[in-house]
Amino acid sequence: MICVFVTLWFKLFRKIFLAETDVLIIGCGIAGATAALRLARDSKRRIAVITRAPEARESNTRYAQGGIIGRGPGDSADLLFNDIVAAGAGVTLPKAARILADEGPPLLNEILEKTAGVIFDHEASGEPLWGQEAAHSRRRILHVGDLTGMAIAERLISTLRNFDNINIQTDATAVDLITFPHHSRDPLDNYRPISCHGAYVFNRSQKTVHRHLANTTILATGGLGRIYRNTTNPVGARGDGLAMAHRAGARIANAEYIQFHPTALAAPGAEGLLISEAVRGEGGVLLTPDLKPFMHKYSPEWKDLAPRDVVARAIHHEMEACGFSYVLLDLASHMEAEKIRTRFPFIYNECLKVGLDISREPVPVVPAAHYFCGGVLVDEWSRSSIENLYAVGEISCTGVHGANRLASTSLLEGLVWGNRAAIDIERTLGSTGPPPKFEDVPPWDESNLSAEPDPALIQGDMQTIQNIMWHYVGLVRSADRLSRAIRELRHLWNEIETFYRTTKLSDGLIGLRNAVEVALIVAQAAQHNRQSRGCHYRTDAVEVEGDRLI
Ligand SMILES: Cc1cc2nc3c(=O)[nH]c(=O)nc-3n(C[C@H](O)[C@H](O)[C@H](O)COP(=O)(O)OP(=O)(O)OC[C@H]3O[C@@H](n4cnc5c(N)ncnc54)[C@H](O)[C@@H]3O)c2cc1C
């Protein structure tokens, strides 16, 4: 009897506190879901996909509006390659841009259309309705109204649910990667390269942390827009994956390159709502509040369709120079009202909710943090500098975006590198050896923690980080602003670390700890890079001649 009880208890304990799998995927936006989809083709392979969100589809992917790049009429891989490289302002890795340009559009057709069943907007004849976006030399953007991301997220998640060997766990926040030598009990592991064996995962409903061991781990945790006061990103985008990888010792690159979207709605109750670039693609024009167009002064060639950094800084300059708190975006004068309602139903409805009718009047907009061009440095197969750790999607730095991302490349990048990670794992899984045993990895220790996390402290500290980042590490940077930011963030980092070490875990506390860590990473990278380039702009930039600073 006692024996049966002990066995049952042990099984229950394992179920709650321990998990083991072949591949652990942290995050199920487009990048994580794509990797899972390919890996699941071998029914013997066990794949765990975890997300901190209560719903699997909740992610940045879900909010993507404008669309994803296909191969439009008169288009070619070479033309796309040239556009990506031009937007990247000299920092795009040519090999990565070539992979995206060659593999992206066919893979979109194979995975999103054929496997997941996403139906993009098309004519009655079946010909896609190709959209135009800034700095693209061809109309090549596939979309589903202005809810492209929603369609992609829902179709991918429901396709994943068809596979018995994929276990999707929601409300599960990864706290830290399990890496050796950091979490090893064997002192000799200090002499081996850093390797990843899964993650400590916080179960938000049970409020417990368990060890999730895996042969291979894929970080697919998305971006970090939420470290800024004004952002288009949803609450989960706080850089968790970057912070975890950084603590584990992974190489990080291009962290100073934060892309600010020029046009987020500036209306109480809908702050940060993205007004897609496709709105300017369809003829929308930026105006000062006294109704004067201004983009011709900043980019005579591209005007309102100039690259994002140019448009965002132009708006910032107009606002600062003339004391405006916003500028206007006018689509109503350039597109019929009915067409606006059909092409942009989501934006139209969300604006109406706060009393603005985009089909009849210009709407107020401001720039907002939108996309993280840097990240965990990976190679062409999504491999990070840590053994058995891959990074895919917005959290990774493949080199594609360089100093500035070309619109609508990020969904495609998640698709291509999510798929590539899976291909590489398929090739290597058998040879990586089994993960360590549970006895080799210490359990999470919360024994001395009694304080409950205080939401007021978490929210207050988070707002402080967001304000520091917005004012001092925002669109326009300087040595003075950056060193002030770093001083204040270091102080906050110490405070938060003490808070973290003395308080029971919550998802909010995990996010706060990560947010201050990644804010420092971004601020320090911005301080080190004294050149203005792409979306990193400094008022005190040094000039460069050839490869020499002058
Ligand atoms: C409003 C908006 C509009 C956009 N429009 C476009 C567009 O039109 N075209 C385009 O190409 N790109 C667009 N982008 C960018 C694009 O949506 C993202 O770059 C892309 O979706 C990122 O995909 P991902 O899979 O890397 O991450 P995400 O889709 O953000 O997924 C991240 C996943 O990680 C999970 N996660 C995070 N932290 C943890 C943790 N600690 N533990 C467990 N799980 C965690 C999240 O819950 C989520 O499941 C847009 C972004 C926004 C915000």
Side-chain angles (χ1 to χ4, degrees), residues 27-28 30-31 51-52 59-61 64 66-67 174 240 371 394 408 410-411:
C28 57
I30 190 168
T51 169
R52 59 161 294 284
S59 56
N60 272 17
T61 298
D240 283 13
Y371 184 81
E394 191 167 339
S408 287
S410 42
L411 289 171

Side-chain angles (χ1 to χ4, degrees), residues 181-240:
H182 311 100
H183 301 104
S184 169
R185 289 183 155 137
D186 180 355
L188 295 184
D189 278 339
N190 276 333
Y191 304 105
R192 302 204 177 96
I194 304 175
S195 58
C196 181
H197 304 287
Y200 289 103
V201 180
F202 176 68
N203 182 316
R204 293 179 68 179
S205 43
Q206 292 166 353
K207 300 195 189 315
T208 51
V209 178
H210 65 261
R211 287 162 283 173
H212 195 127
L213 299 188
N215 290 71
T216 303
T217 304
I218 304 181
L219 272 179
T221 51
L224 47 69
R226 278 278 156 174
I227 64 171
Y228 282 90
R229 190 184 72 191
N230 294 347
T231 180
T232 61
N233 288 195
V235 287
R238 53 198 192 185
D240 283 13

